[in-house]
Amino acid sequence: MADSKRPRSRSVLVIDTGGTFSMEYDSEQVSPGKRGLDVGKDHQEVLKKLKSISEGEYEYFDDKGQEKDRYSKKNFSWTYHALSERIDSSSATPQSWHDIAKVIFENQLSFDAFVVIHGTDTLMYASAGITFLLPKFTKPVIVTGAQIPVLAPGASDAVGNFLGSLAFATWTALLKGRLHSLKGVFVYFNTKLMRGTTVVKVDSQRWDAFDSPRIRFVGELIEGKPVVTESQTGALIRLLDPDERDLSISPKLYNLPSGTNPYPLVIHLFPGLSLESFAIYKHDAIILAAFGCGNGPITIKKSLLDYLDSGKLVAVVSECLSGSTSAAYTACIESWDKSSSHKPSRIATCNNTTLPAAYAKVAVFLGRKFDSPEDRQVEFRKAMSLSWAGELSYRTTEEYYEASNK
């Protein structure tokens, strides 16, 4: 029976997309350089290093040179797959996420879990994008990266991040006598496991570079052991069958929009902003990074209304590190009349969704087809107010959804 068996050896596909993690190390400047583009040679060096890390015991240290943890080999195996063309994360596009998601989708029956190595500059966009492109994915996908290359002499956070990602990718637990593992897309960085849709980058240099300030992180590596927060397990774990292998297939890999400007445009609002027309932007959707709970300057009212009248889409996120947008404030952005804020707004409030997650969500939404621009606006507002993959709080979502349908 499943509750009496030890977990079998689990298999992990490690997908190396590039980024600082697998770059050549230059003490003067960390950059891809000529060798960084030598896929065959460089990737072999990275693979050799990763193999040495994961065999037997290994000690790794923090950015101050203090011993951080010890790692001993667990009951799993992993396969290394390097993308033929490395992704410079600062130049990544939604198509880059689709390329990664496609590798995962096509290998979901061959492996129990996946670890994606990605550049840190846009890692939070990639983790959200992969999540939304693979709806209801039933196996764990752990996205990670590093501030210091794994090939660097001395201390590197790449070591701890790689080992921690493997630990959570292969994590299993007996709950109520039955074996479970994680499911869905996560980010692991500096001992913390976070949902792929709630992560933001909070530091450009420190090893503790990522956090989940709006929704609590879901796990942590403690004394070398992966620990999943008990309150989070319901939506994040899957039951394994008696043979400990879940053969269910993710129902689909979503498509992305096509065209000249297929993806959303992000505009950060600031005091004194004045735009004569949004029409100069050919994008089908704009995301406003607004003040506080979703407010903005009245100087953009006319151009905003013209843009909405043309059938285009507008979503609002808060520029704050934590907190949420409010339907009342986003309605006021459109009307600028506090007395009329109860009227249905064509603007979608993203609640406590982060900007990276909102961008990825809108990009995937734009790949869908609708009968009319009006239908698309209505469905867009609903879609952004509902959680697809834990990117916003369910309690807050329900409250907003009730208010938005009055």
Side-chain angles (χ1 to χ4, degrees):
M1 296 178 63
D3 57 357
S4 62
K5 294 175 63 176
R6 295 182 61 187
R8 64 171 174 79
S9 178
R10 306 188 64 71
S11 60
V12 182
L13 180 62
V14 177
I15 306 170
D16 187 354
T17 72
T20 298
F21 186 105
S22 53
M23 282 180 178
E24 175 189 10
Y25 183 77
D26 184 335
S27 59
E28 297 297 325
Q29 180 181 4
V30 177
S31 63
K34 293 183 179 180
R35 276 192 58 207
L37 300 176
D38 185 347
V39 175
K41 185 175 181 180
D42 250 17
H43 282 176
Q44 288 302 316
E45 290 296 318
V46 172
L47 174 58
K48 181 179 178 180
K49 178 69 173 182
L50 295 182
K51 288 175 66 176
S52 71
I53 290 171
S54 65
E55 291 178 353
E57 293 189 353
Y58 196 92
E59 298 177 359
Y60 58 99
F61 301 83
D62 62 17
D63 51 356
K64 297 180 180 178
Q66 301 296 315
E67 183 176 311
K68 194 171 184 65
D69 221 326
R70 293 175 180 268
Y71 170 83
S72 59
K73 189 175 182 181
K74 305 298 181 183
N75 190 26
F76 64 84
S77 62
W78 56 271
T79 301
Y80 181 76
H81 172 77
L83 295 189
S84 58
E85 293 187 14
R86 292 192 177 193
I87 299 172
D88 177 351
S89 72
S90 61
S91 299
T93 68
Q95 184 58 51
S96 305
W97 317 333
H98 195 276
D99 293 342
I100 300 169
K102 185 178 180 181
V103 173
I104 297 170
F105 184 79
E106 292 177 345
N107 287 278
Q108 60 183 307
L109 292 183
S110 300
F111 296 91
D112 298 303
F114 301 84
V115 170
V116 177
I117 296 171
H118 196 280
T120 60
D121 283 344
T122 60
L123 182 148
M124 57 285 193
Y125 288 90
S127 62
I130 295 169
T131 304
F132 297 135
L133 287 167
L134 293 171
K136 300 180 180 179
F137 196 70
T138 60
K139 295 185 178 181
V141 178
I142 314 296
V143 183
T144 193
Q147 300 283 65
I148 303 294
V150 72
L151 297 176
S156 168
D157 60 330
V159 175
N161 288 342
F162 179 66
L163 298 180
S165 296
L166 287 177
F168 275 106
T170 58
W171 174 87
T172 57
L174 282 172
L175 302 174
K176 297 181 179 180
R178 307 185 74 178
L179 196 65
H180 293 72
S181 74
L182 289 170
K183 66 177 180 180
V185 182
F186 304 86
V187 169
Y188 178 82
F189 219 92
N190 197 48
T191 75
K192 290 185 294 189
L193 184 74
M194 300 156 278
R195 285 179 181 264
T197 54
T198 66
V199 175
V200 293
K201 191 172 185 179
V202 295
D203 199 287
S204 63
Q205 295 179 313
R206 290 190 304 115
W207 288 11
D208 192 17
F210 291 88
D211 202 356
S212 180
R214 299 188 182 186
I215 298 178
R216 192 176 186 275
F217 63 89
V218 299
E220 190 171 9
L221 198 70
I222 301 175
E223 297 182 353
K225 297 180 180 180
V227 177
V228 176
T229 306
E230 184 176 354
S231 63
Q232 299 283 350
T233 55
L236 303 176
I237 62 173
R238 66 189 177 104
L239 175 67
L240 298 175
D241 71 6
D243 294 323
E244 299 160 29
R245 182 182 293 277
D246 188 334
L247 297 179
S248 60
I249 300 177
S250 182
K252 64 178 66 178
L253 170 63
Y254 277 143
N255 292 318
L256 289 168
S258 58
T260 306
N261 296 288
Y263 307 124
L265 176 71
V266 177
I267 298 178
H268 284 262
L269 303 185
F270 57 87
L273 172 65
S274 179
L275 292 172
E276 293 184 3
S277 175
F278 283 169
I280 61 174
Y281 304 117
K282 304 303 181 181
H283 303 72
D284 279 348
I286 287 177
I287 299 173
L288 301 177
F291 309 141
C293 291
N295 215 338
I298 195 171
T299 49
I300 65 171
K301 176 182 177 179
K302 183 180 184 304
S303 56
L304 180 64
L305 292 178
D306 290 343
Y307 187 79
L308 288 166
D309 289 342
S310 69
K312 302 295 181 66
L313 308 176
V314 176
V316 175
V317 298
S318 174
E319 67 174 0
C320 300
L321 184 62
S322 187
S324 174
T325 55
S326 164
Y329 277 92
T330 53
C332 287
I333 288 181
E334 185 175 349
S335 66
W336 260 275
D337 179 355
K338 300 292 183 181
S339 65
S340 65
S341 62
H342 67 280
K343 296 180 180 179
S345 170
R346 290 172 293 176
I347 297 176
T349 182
C350 296
N351 217 296
N352 59 342
T353 305
T354 64
L355 173 58
Y359 181 87
K361 190 174 181 179
V362 174
V364 173
F365 180 90
L366 290 174
R368 300 182 181 182
K369 305 297 182 183
F370 295 92
D371 293 335
S372 68
E374 293 75 20
D375 288 344
R376 188 173 69 160
Q377 282 186 338
V378 171
E379 292 303 315
F380 178 68
R381 189 165 60 89
K382 290 181 179 179
M384 299 307 291
S385 71
L386 296 174
S387 176
W388 289 6
E391 70 277 11
L392 50 80
S393 301
Y394 286 96
R395 179 184 62 81
T396 313
T397 301
E398 292 168 356
E399 291 176 353
Y400 170 69
Y401 191 60
E402 290 178 1
S404 66
N405 281 277
K406 288 182 178 179

